[in-house]
Amino acid sequence: MNNHEAKSRDAILKRLARVEGQVRGIHAMILRGEECEAVAQQFSAARKALDKAYQEMLVCLAEDAILDPDQSNAEKLTQLRAIFTKYT
């Protein structure tokens, strides 16, 4: 794993840890009987954080496809299209 891959992995893990904490917080809010709007706001924040982590993962997949020296440009484009079709 190169330095760029390690940084990308660490960024994704940090985002996921944040999401995990947010979900635990939402769980606690529901147990305490907090207002639905406050809970909904935290759900929204957790979803956005999870979306950011997902975007980081898509970038990782795209970079792997683009930087593969064993593939032609046409093959790289085909792989990128497949990634975006499958995951977005």
Side-chain angles (χ1 to χ4, degrees):
M1 177 179 301
N2 66 36
N3 190 37
H4 176 71
E5 291 170 337
K7 285 183 181 181
S8 179
R9 181 198 64 208
D10 290 347
I12 291 169
L13 290 173
K14 284 180 186 177
R15 287 187 187 280
L16 288 175
R18 188 174 311 130
V19 171
E20 185 179 10
Q22 288 172 315
V23 170
R24 280 194 305 270
I26 293 167
H27 185 263
M29 290 174 76
I30 293 169
L31 287 175
R32 289 190 303 265
E34 293 194 26
E35 295 292 325
C36 290
E37 185 171 353
V39 175
Q41 183 179 21
Q42 292 307 308
F43 264 109
S44 178
R47 287 178 57 206
K48 287 177 185 174
L50 187 58
D51 283 345
K52 287 285 191 181
Y54 183 67
Q55 289 168 2
E56 288 282 333
M57 185 56 62
L58 284 178
V59 168
C60 181
L61 285 170
E63 287 173 346
D64 286 348
I66 292 167
L67 299 175
D68 186 348
D70 297 328
Q71 290 188 349
S72 69
N73 285 340
E75 291 170 323
K76 290 176 184 183
L77 286 173
T78 298
Q79 187 174 357
L80 282 174
R81 284 188 185 102
I83 288 167
F84 284 102
T85 299
K86 185 174 182 177
Y87 295 110
T88 62

